Amino acid sequence: MDRGLRVGRAVTFVYFILNGTLLGMWVVMIPAVEDRVGISHATLGGFLVLLGVGAFAGMQLGGRLCDRIGSRVVVPGAAVLCSATLVLPGLADRPWALAAALLAFGFGNGTLDASMNAHAVQVEHAYGRPVMSAFHATFSVGGVLAALAGAAAFGLGWGVPAALTAVGILSAVVSLTAARGLLPAMALAPEDGDAAGAPVLGSRAVPTRIWLLAVLAFLIMLCEGAANDWSALHLRTVLGAPESTAAFAYGTFAAAMTIGRLLADGISARFGATNVLRHGSALAAGGITLVALVPWIPAALTGWALFGLGLSGCVPQLFSAAGHTDPTAAGANVSRVAGLGYIGMLAGPAVIGWMTHLMDLNHTFLLPALFCAIAAAAAGVLRAPAVTDARPQPAEAAS
């Protein structure tokens, strides 16, 4: 296998870890920033919507820029932008300043998210076999690094501005250093067929299949968002678990999801992306139903683990399918699917919270179970010929 391709895959891992670290640093610093600015939890919640709005806008721009000038240019630029804007929330000392800072950081994060996923599709295309899920698994590694970095900064007595600035500068240096290993844009150029003469942007309607993939991403990522914010609260408030035990709810979910993503590429290569989405969604539906209906702590922890394991491979398959549907518009299509999925992740906690006014928290989890069942039933959308045609299958690529 070509050394440049191996290097391209390695630096893609670097950017996924980097994105996880940058976003994780913000999460780690939220309590300190909240105290510094002097705002309530409710106000912060409203500001986080601005972070999501910025991210959605950044995804749309990042994806289209990748199609126009290539991800090799956009990814490092987006990473430097995200690194620079990370510093802004730490400098904010007024509510309006924090709102503007989060909008800017969200934009940088969204631009990096879309462009690095577009490059991941490029790497997968060149490999001729599934490699997307492993990239998403390493995003979690960045979160762990952020937690360690935050703890070290606080231990050294650093303030929020110093901690975010240090990580931002280091991340920018890493971004620029790794840029040389990114694949050139022509690596994803179509070799034959109608797509070879197609314009990169603007003249063709978005395929219906892309919107179907985007809707599925919305449903699946809404489920992820619900687990992120409500899993520990479920054990604590519904099952009466102590706080130390309740924390394991999210821990088992996150650990199972990371393990599942490390395994999903091999499973997808052997059994196909459709089976990963169908059986993974079905497993997730079973796991969250167990959480919703069985009032025992061990059963709930098992359910959260099954939920994470089932969901783990679903989103990477959707992103991959979006990128391979039309190689000349891979960035834009990935940004559409990722953008709607991101909205789902932000909406998930809010939807569950609203439903708690109508029913017990555990019963609200039947909605994610329904969404997972819908995803399982709709998994056939991944069987479209465009996905198969867009993934070359040379014998040596599988070695």
Side-chain angles (χ1 to χ4, degrees):
M1 183 178 292
D2 180 71
R3 180 179 180 275
L5 179 55
R6 292 197 299 270
V7 172
R9 185 184 185 189
V11 298
T12 306
F13 281 121
V14 170
Y15 284 106
F16 270 80
I17 293 172
L18 194 69
N19 192 21
T21 302
L22 293 169
L23 191 59
M25 279 302 296
W26 155 245
V27 172
V28 169
M29 296 295 166
I30 284 178
V33 170
E34 191 179 54
D35 290 342
R36 174 187 172 91
V37 180
I39 57 176
S40 65
H41 296 329
T43 301
L44 177 64
F47 286 175
L48 291 178
V49 174
L50 292 176
L51 189 148
V53 170
F56 182 82
M59 286 178 184
Q60 306 318 301
L61 177 64
R64 284 161 175 75
L65 284 176
C66 285
D67 293 332
R68 189 175 293 279
I69 62 178
S71 57
R72 189 176 195 178
V73 176
V74 180
V75 171
V80 170
L81 176 63
C82 191
S83 300
T85 54
L86 172 68
V87 179
L88 300 179
L91 300 177
D93 57 0
R94 296 288 189 276
W96 65 266
L98 179 60
L102 290 179
L103 185 65
F105 177 58
F107 183 84
N109 177 65
T111 307
L112 175 57
D113 191 295
S115 59
M116 72 185 188
N117 272 290
H119 187 264
V121 169
Q122 193 173 336
V123 172
E124 184 174 66
H125 177 91
Y127 262 78
R129 59 181 172 87
V131 296
M132 178 69 78
S133 293
F135 293 135
H136 284 251
T138 55
F139 178 87
S140 301
V141 175
V144 174
L145 293 178
L148 295 174
F154 287 135
L156 293 172
W158 290 11
V160 173
L164 294 184
T165 299
V167 172
I169 292 174
L170 179 60
S171 297
V173 171
V174 172
S175 302
L176 295 175
T177 303
R180 296 180 60 185
L182 293 168
L183 300 183
M186 66 282 296
L188 195 57
E191 297 176 0
D192 51 32
D194 294 340
V200 172
L201 291 173
S203 65
R204 289 185 296 175
V206 180
T208 301
R209 180 169 182 268
I210 294 298
W211 295 121
L212 292 176
L213 293 171
V215 170
L216 290 179
F218 175 86
L219 297 180
I220 294 295
M221 293 181 72
L222 185 149
C223 295
E224 288 187 29
N228 291 342
D229 281 31
W230 291 101
S231 53
L233 283 171
H234 164 252
L235 255 70
R236 182 75 181 93
T237 62
V238 176
L239 301 184
E243 291 183 353
S244 57
T245 302
F248 280 106
Y250 177 70
T252 57
F253 170 82
M257 175 165 282
T258 302
I259 292 170
R261 284 181 170 169
L262 291 172
L263 298 174
D265 287 329
I267 296 172
S268 178
R270 182 170 182 180
F271 299 105
T274 300
N275 283 319
V276 172
L277 179 59
R278 174 174 293 125
H279 297 296
S281 297
L283 178 62
I288 197 64
T289 300
L290 185 66
V291 170
L293 300 180
V294 179
W296 302 326
I297 292 175
L301 291 173
T302 300
W304 285 117
L306 293 175
F307 192 49
L309 186 63
L311 292 178
S312 62
C314 295
V315 168
Q317 307 310 314
L318 297 172
F319 284 13
S320 178
H324 290 301
T325 294
D326 179 1
T328 65
N333 287 336
V334 169
S335 71
R336 292 178 180 114
V337 174
L340 197 56
Y342 194 80
I343 291 175
M345 180 166 283
L346 292 176
V351 169
I352 295 298
W354 177 79
M355 290 179 65
T356 59
H357 294 293
L358 305 175
M359 63 188 73
D360 292 336
L361 174 60
N362 57 310
H363 293 151
T364 67
F365 297 141
L366 293 175
L367 180 66
L370 174 63
F371 287 168
C372 289
I374 292 172
V381 70
L382 295 183
R383 283 201 302 261
V387 177
T388 302
D389 293 342
R391 294 190 187 186
Q393 298 295 335
E396 67 272 16
S399 61

